[in-house]
Amino acid sequence: GMQSHLQALLSLYKLFCPEQVTITLPGKMKTYFKNSEGPWKAAITAVRQRNQGTSPLTQAVFLGTSQPQSRKRKWNAQLVIPASSTNTNNLEEGREKNQVSLYSTNESFPVEQLQTFPQLLQNIHRLEFPSQMGSVLTNPLLLHYMNCVKDESIYLRLYYWMGQMLQEECTWCVVDNPSEEEFRSFLETVYKAECFLQEGFSACEEFLYKTLPLWDGFCCRSQILRLVSWIPLSSFSDIKTYLYDPLAKLFFTSSIYFKCSVLESLKELLHNWLNCNVIQADSEFSL
C-alpha cells in the first residue's frame, strides 16, 4: 500500500513532471523533507538583524530553506501557455491538416490553439491542459473550463505548482529575495483568478496560514489582505489560530490605515462566505 513517505516523494515528482505520475495523490498530506526549526530560527535572526539596523524584518527563511534556490529562470515564464507536453510532436502536423480535422472526436484539442469561447464550447471534452499549470491563471477560457468541468486532476496539478511557487518566491520568507514587485504581481494574478472562479485555492490558503505569523504587515499588504478574503469557511478553532491571532498582533500595533484594511478584508471574507452558503443552499433546495 501507499506509505506517507512514498506519497511525499511522489508529490515532488508530480510537481516537476506531472505527466509521469498518473496515480491520484491526496490533496493534503504531512509535509516531509523540511527542518521544523527553520521558521523559528529565521524569526529570531530577523528580529536580531532588525534591532541592529542591518537588515529588514522580511529577511526570513521558509520551511528551513537556508539559501534561496537558483533564480536563473525567468520568473513569470510559467504564466505563458506552452505547447502541450503530449502534443508537441503532433502540433505542426495538425496545423498542416484541414481546419475541420481539429474538431475530430478522435483527437485532443491543444490549448495553445484555443482562442475563442465558441472553440471552448465545441472542444470542451477534448481539451488537453498545458504541462505548466501556471498558464491557466492568466487564461479566461481555461478558467471557464475549470468552473464548468470539475476535474480533480487539474486542481491537484494547480495545487502542487502554486504551493511550490508561493513557497519559493515569498519575499519575506526567503533570504535575499529582492523581487517584491514580481511577487506582488503574481499574488495579484492569483487573486484575480480566485475572483473569476468565485472560490479560493487550497494552496493559497495553506500559504497564508504558514506565512501570516512571519508577515510584517507591510510587504504586499494589499495583495495579502485580498487573498485573505477568499479563505474558505472552516472550523472556528482553525480560523482563530491561523488567521485571527496573527492578524490581531499586527492590528493592535499598526496604523489606522492598516486597521481599516484588515476590517475591509474581513468584511469581504464574510461576504464571500455568505455568497457561498447561499449558492449551496439554492442548489440543495433545487434538488
Side-chain angles (χ1 to χ4, degrees):
M2 290 295 293
Q3 300 180 13
S4 56
H5 286 82
L6 291 178
Q7 288 182 345
L9 184 60
L10 285 172
S11 68
L12 292 179
Y13 282 108
K14 195 163 187 176
L15 172 64
F16 295 102
C17 298
E19 69 279 1
Q20 300 296 330
V21 182
T22 58
I23 64 174
T24 300
L25 297 174
K28 295 183 179 180
M29 62 180 68
K30 184 178 179 181
T31 303
Y32 291 90
F33 315 117
K34 73 170 186 177
N35 180 3
S36 60
E37 297 180 355
W40 285 106
K41 291 182 178 179
I44 294 173
T45 302
V47 171
R48 183 183 298 114
Q49 292 177 344
R50 181 192 60 179
N51 293 336
Q52 294 175 354
T54 58
S55 177
L57 179 60
T58 57
Q59 302 295 318
V61 181
F62 183 67
L63 294 181
T65 304
S66 58
Q67 295 294 332
Q69 298 187 6
S70 174
R71 301 179 58 82
K72 295 180 180 179
R73 60 177 172 81
K74 184 179 178 182
W75 198 89
N76 282 325
Q78 297 191 12
L79 297 183
V80 179
I81 295 182
S84 300
S85 56
T86 58
N87 262 358
T88 303
N89 297 330
N90 299 329
L91 182 57
E92 294 299 328
E93 298 178 4
R95 288 174 177 172
E96 296 175 358
K97 294 180 181 179
N98 192 316
Q99 186 70 20
V100 179
S101 66
L102 290 176
Y103 300 96
S104 172
T105 56
N106 296 327
E107 298 180 3
S108 60
F109 189 85
V111 293
E112 59 268 20
Q113 297 184 17
L114 184 64
Q115 302 294 330
T116 64
F117 194 76
Q119 280 184 322
L120 173 65
L121 295 179
Q122 293 174 0
N123 300 278
I124 194 169
H125 296 299
R126 301 192 296 111
L127 284 181
E128 180 178 1
F129 266 60
S131 57
Q132 296 178 358
M133 287 301 295
S135 58
V136 176
L137 298 177
T138 56
N139 191 301
L141 294 176
L142 295 183
L143 290 177
H144 271 302
Y145 177 86
M146 290 182 61
N147 242 347
C148 297
V149 181
K150 299 299 183 181
D151 189 341
E152 181 183 0
S153 62
I154 295 176
Y155 282 92
L156 278 177
R157 287 179 59 192
L158 193 60
Y159 167 81
Y160 290 129
W161 175 84
M162 188 181 297
Q164 187 72 15
M165 287 294 293
L166 290 170
Q167 172 180 327
E168 291 183 357
E169 306 298 340
C170 180
T171 53
W172 63 89
C173 294
V174 177
V175 175
D176 297 330
N177 187 346
S179 56
E180 179 178 341
E181 189 63 33
E182 293 180 339
F183 185 60
R184 182 185 296 110
S185 176
F186 176 64
L187 295 181
E188 192 71 30
T189 300
V190 174
Y191 169 72
K192 291 179 180 178
E194 289 183 333
C195 291
F196 190 97
L197 297 172
Q198 291 294 291
E199 63 177 331
F201 294 110
S202 56
C204 188
E205 176 191 7
E206 293 182 8
F207 163 75
L208 290 173
Y209 285 164
K210 290 178 180 178
T211 59
L212 281 179
L214 300 175
W215 185 44
D216 60 0
F218 178 78
C219 183
C220 304
R221 175 192 297 165
S222 176
Q223 290 72 30
I224 291 297
L225 292 180
R226 287 179 181 179
L227 293 178
V228 165
S229 66
W230 280 110
I231 290 178
L233 180 62
S234 58
S235 65
F236 175 76
S237 60
D238 290 342
I239 292 292
K240 181 180 183 303
T241 302
Y242 300 114
L243 178 62
Y244 293 157
D245 289 349
L247 288 179
K249 295 177 182 179
L250 296 171
F251 185 88
F252 293 113
T253 58
S254 300
S255 63
I256 295 295
Y257 177 79
F258 180 83
K259 290 181 172 64
C260 294
S261 299
V262 171
L263 293 177
E264 177 68 18
S265 176
L266 295 179
K267 187 195 75 171
E268 289 297 323
L269 176 62
L270 179 59
H271 182 264
N272 292 332
W273 284 351
L274 292 175
N275 284 340
C276 181
N277 289 335
V278 167
I279 294 174
Q280 292 180 354
D282 289 344
S283 61
E284 293 176 357
F285 179 78
S286 61
L287 294 177

